[in-house]
């Protein structure tokens, strides 16, 4: 048996009909991890004993009506999990073995009887676009292990792409779900800001962070979002809105749909093969009865600078709590309290985290606040207004998820600005707070996946999913699998 062979819905039916057991699914997941994770390095912590005990318990349960009953999934390691080590892929939290409580989204998965297989690798504190900033080991791309899987949710995307689990939760601050989904040839959604609770997510940039699902197909993604979305009184930014059945809306067609294609998203810097794949996808939509027009998002060119000023400023404040006192690793090389703070942070944080803390602290400092942070907030409003104007006349915005397919491990590590530019097409979505999804739309000459990004109106995930599903059903890109060895 292979997890590659079935959707979540199909496996739920097999469980209901007693064709398979939850123990079968969990064993299959761990067997696959043993087969391939020494090449992929998607997991930081496995919870095998508890997962197998839960599987046995679920097999003896008569009520199997829950929406993710018995389905093996993984949790990005910046979502706290009671009794399971949570590190944010940082040496600072290497000994954070029991956070004592679950993130709200983890509780929601548990309530629907999903089985947590383990915690997934990531860029340290979610700061990175390649998963090379993990302080433990870089995750590799299952399609070609010489290449990065993207970041910061690289472990989440790679584990799903490698067939180790059926779904994963990631977090997206500037593209950290969609970019690795594009690089790994899977489906990743960044929901509208406020749709999914952030309670229990270790904060990077609180006005940008959002939790979302990564799966192999659109229907599975919609099913997971139905579970994790919804108001949470523990999160002051959580929106109190009714959650529709996203899966039911997938059956609708896209005739008459109006698509906006920003010229900035297909401009210089976008690889020809990526541009060609997106244009081919637009032809598919035309054949399905949709229309598209070129538009402009004129302030997109300021998105990267705006994002790194704002996100780094928020990170500077959020990461101030990591001081070696209340939890986390404390230095042994200090004679007084001030030295203990300094050495704990300098020893615990990696280079990229330090870089962003320093950038954010500078942007917030006296004499520079107005010139940098305040001005960036104003530009953020302009970027949001660009989207608002487009959505007056169009249903969705479509373009590439990333300018290029996955790059090689080590290719950009010495060039932070080039690394930052990889998020140029995903960052505007976070700044505006709108939903965006990435799904496969082709492959490069080297056999690496290319991602199509669909951006929707606030809290209109139903349309985003419907448009993505229509394309997915008209093509076969989502059926392709990486050849890692073992039972593909």
């Amino acid at each position: 048996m292979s997890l590659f062979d079935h959707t979540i819905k199909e496996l739920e039916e097999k469980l209901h009909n007693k064709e398979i057991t939850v123990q079968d699914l969990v064993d299959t997941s761990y067997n696959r991890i043993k087969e391939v994770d020494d090449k992929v390095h998607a997991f930081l912590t496995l919870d095998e004993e508890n997962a197998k005990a839960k599987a046995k318990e679920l097999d003896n349960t008569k009520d199997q009506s829950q929406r993710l009953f018995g389905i093996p999934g993984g949790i990005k390691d910046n979502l706290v999990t009671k009794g399971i080590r949570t590190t944010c892929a940082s040496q600072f939290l290497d000994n954070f073995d029991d956070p004592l409580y679950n993130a709200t989204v983890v509780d929601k998965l548990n309530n629907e009887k999903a089985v947590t297989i383990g915690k997934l690798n990531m860029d340290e504190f979610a700061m990175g676009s390649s998963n090379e900033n993990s302080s433990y080991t870089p995750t590799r791309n299952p399609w070609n292990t010489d290449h990065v899987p993207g970041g910061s949710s690289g472990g989440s995307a790679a584990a799903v792409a490698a067939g180790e689990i059926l779904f994963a939760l990631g977090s997206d601050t500037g593209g950290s779900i969609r970019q690795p989904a594009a690089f790994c040839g899977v489906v990743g959604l960044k929901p509208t800001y406020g749709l999914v609770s952030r309670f229990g997510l270790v904060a990077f940039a609180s006005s940008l962070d959002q939790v979302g699902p990564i799966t192999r197909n659109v229907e599975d993604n919609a099913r997971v979002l139905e579970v994790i979305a919804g108001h949470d009184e523990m999160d002051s930014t959580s929106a109190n809105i009714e959650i529709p059945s996203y899966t039911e809306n997938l059956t609708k067609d896209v005739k008459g749909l109006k698509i906006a294609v920003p010229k900035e998203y297909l401009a210089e810097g976008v690889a020809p093969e990526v541009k060609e794949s997106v244009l081919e996808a637009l032809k598919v939509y035309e054949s399905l009865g949709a229309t598209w027009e070129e538009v402009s998002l004129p302030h997109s060119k300021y998105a990267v600078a705006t994002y790194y000023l704002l996100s780094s400023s928020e990170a500077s404040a959020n990461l101030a709590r990591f001081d070696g006192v209340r939890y986390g690793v404390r230095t042994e090389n200090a004679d007084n309290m001030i030295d203990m703070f300094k050495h704990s942070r300098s020893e615990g944080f990696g280079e990229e985290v330090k870089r962003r803390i320093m950038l954010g602290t500078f942007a917030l400092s006296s004499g520079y606040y107005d010139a940098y942070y305040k001005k960036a907030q104003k530009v953020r409003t302009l970027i949001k207004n660009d989207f608002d104007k487009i959505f007056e006349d169009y249903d969705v915005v479509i373009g590439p998820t990333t300018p290029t397919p996955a790059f090689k491990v080590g290719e950009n590590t010495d060039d932070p600005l080039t690394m930052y530019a990889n998020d140029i097409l995903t960052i505007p979505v976070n700044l505006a707070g709108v939903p965006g999804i990435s799904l496969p739309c082709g492959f490069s000459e080297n056999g690496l996946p290319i991602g199509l990004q669909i951006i929707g109106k606030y809290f209109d995930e139903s349309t985003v999913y419907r448009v993505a599903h229509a394309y997915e059903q008209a093509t076969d890109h989502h059926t392709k699998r990486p050849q890692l060895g073992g039972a593909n």
Side-chain angles (χ1 to χ4, degrees):
M1 180 182 177
S2 169
L3 296 183
F4 274 138
D5 297 335
H6 306 285
T7 65
I8 290 175
K9 183 178 180 180
E10 290 168 349
L11 290 174
E12 286 178 339
E13 291 173 354
K14 287 182 177 292
L15 286 168
H16 184 72
N17 296 330
K18 308 296 184 185
E19 296 174 40
I20 58 172
T21 65
V22 178
Q23 292 177 79
D24 291 335
L25 287 179
V26 171
D27 287 343
T28 298
S29 180
Y30 282 115
N31 288 339
R32 180 66 175 170
I33 290 168
K34 289 181 177 71
E35 268 183 337
V36 303
D37 209 57
D38 61 334
K39 305 181 189 75
V40 178
H41 304 293
F43 282 90
L44 288 176
T45 302
L46 294 174
D47 193 32
E48 189 166 358
E49 183 178 345
N50 288 327
K52 289 187 173 181
K54 183 174 183 178
K56 189 174 182 180
E57 179 186 326
L58 292 177
D59 282 331
N60 293 321
T61 303
K62 291 183 180 179
D63 180 14
Q64 298 187 0
S65 60
Q66 292 85 0
R67 287 173 287 185
L68 292 173
F69 184 90
I71 302 300
I75 310 294
K76 186 176 179 179
D77 206 26
N78 61 346
L79 287 158
V80 296
T81 41
K82 184 176 181 179
I84 309 175
R85 190 173 75 138
T86 301
T87 70
C88 294
S90 176
Q91 293 302 309
F92 213 125
L93 293 176
D94 186 59
N95 65 353
F96 194 27
D97 294 325
D98 187 356
L100 301 179
Y101 68 100
N102 283 324
T104 295
V105 289
V106 174
D107 276 337
K108 288 191 171 193
L109 292 178
N110 289 338
N111 291 340
E112 295 295 329
K113 306 304 181 187
V115 180
T116 297
I117 296 300
K119 304 297 290 292
L120 292 156
N121 205 353
M122 56 185 282
D123 286 296
E124 183 182 4
F125 284 103
M127 299 181 189
S129 304
S130 65
N131 223 129
E132 293 169 288
N133 292 333
S134 169
S135 73
Y136 293 97
T137 183
T139 301
R140 302 292 181 129
N141 193 315
W143 292 90
N144 184 331
T145 53
D146 290 335
H147 291 250
V148 303
S152 63
S153 308
S156 298
V160 172
E164 297 176 322
I165 47 178
L166 280 148
F167 74 91
L169 295 189
S171 66
D172 193 311
T173 307
S176 288
I177 288 173
R178 290 158 292 149
Q179 190 246 25
F183 280 3
C184 291
V186 291
V187 178
L189 176 89
K190 196 289 287 186
T192 304
Y193 184 81
L195 183 71
V196 178
S197 172
R198 293 186 299 110
F199 181 72
L201 172 69
V202 178
F204 164 16
S206 303
S207 75
L208 298 160
D209 298 339
Q210 193 65 187
V211 180
I214 296 177
T215 57
R216 283 205 314 277
N217 61 68
V218 174
E219 183 182 22
D220 285 358
N221 205 279
R223 183 173 286 251
V224 176
L225 186 66
E226 286 176 355
V227 170
I228 64 172
H231 181 250
D232 179 18
E233 61 183 14
M234 302 296 286
D235 176 5
S236 63
T237 64
S238 176
N240 192 2
I241 64 168
E242 186 176 342
I243 305 303
S245 174
Y246 299 118
T247 50
E248 286 183 7
N249 286 324
L250 297 180
T251 57
K252 298 177 183 178
D253 61 38
V254 293
K255 288 178 182 174
L257 186 87
K258 297 181 70 176
I259 299 170
V261 180
K263 61 183 181 182
E264 293 83 2
Y265 283 26
L266 293 173
E268 185 180 356
V270 176
E273 54 192 350
V274 171
K275 183 176 181 179
E276 182 62 30
S277 292
V278 171
L279 293 175
E280 288 298 319
L282 292 170
K283 290 179 183 177
V284 172
Y285 279 115
E286 286 179 332
S287 72
L288 296 173
T291 59
W292 67 274
E293 294 177 353
E294 186 176 87
V295 299
S296 178
L297 292 171
H299 295 98
S300 294
K301 59 186 176 182
Y302 305 115
V304 173
T306 300
Y307 169 80
Y308 279 100
L309 281 168
L310 295 179
S311 65
S312 297
S313 296
E314 293 183 25
S316 171
N318 279 326
L319 270 62
R321 72 193 70 177
F322 296 98
D323 52 17
V325 177
R326 288 157 289 188
Y327 53 86
V329 175
R330 181 185 298 191
T331 185
E332 297 178 357
N333 304 311
D335 297 323
N336 56 63
M337 185 179 70
I338 299 300
D339 282 350
M340 187 270 291
F341 286 161
K342 288 181 179 178
H343 290 304
S344 293
R345 289 170 66 81
S346 63
E347 293 168 14
F349 290 138
E351 293 304 311
E352 182 61 28
V353 176
K354 292 176 188 175
R355 182 184 291 119
R356 298 200 197 192
I357 289 173
M358 289 189 289
L359 173 60
T361 304
F362 176 79
L364 293 173
S365 61
S366 177
Y368 298 99
Y369 178 92
D370 286 353
Y372 293 103
Y373 182 79
K374 189 175 180 180
K375 185 174 286 187
Q377 288 285 30
K378 291 179 178 179
V379 176
R380 180 180 189 173
T381 300
L382 295 176
I383 291 170
K384 174 192 174 297
N385 291 344
D386 285 348
F387 278 104
D388 290 345
K389 186 176 180 181
I390 294 296
F391 285 130
E392 289 176 3
D393 300 314
Y394 298 91
D395 299 303
V396 292
V397 173
I398 288 183
T401 309
T402 59
T404 67
F407 46 88
K408 285 190 173 183
V409 174
E411 188 174 325
N412 294 326
T413 49
D414 296 329
D415 188 354
L417 293 180
T418 298
M419 190 76 82
Y420 293 171
N422 279 297
D423 297 331
I424 193 168
L425 303 174
T426 53
I427 281 172
V429 174
N430 297 80
L431 292 171
V434 292
I437 196 170
S438 178
L439 69 159
C441 70
F443 292 85
S444 70
E445 289 183 5
N446 297 326
L448 294 166
I450 294 170
L452 181 74
Q453 182 173 210
I454 302 168
I455 304 165
K457 301 175 184 178
Y458 296 103
F459 299 108
D460 193 15
E461 278 76 4
S462 290
T463 297
V464 172
Y465 276 135
R466 177 166 58 89
V467 175
H469 186 256
Y471 175 78
E472 183 183 78
Q473 295 304 299
T475 57
D476 65 351
H477 305 304
H478 66 290
T479 65
K480 306 289 176 61
R481 303 285 180 252
Q483 298 299 313
L484 268 169
N488 281 304

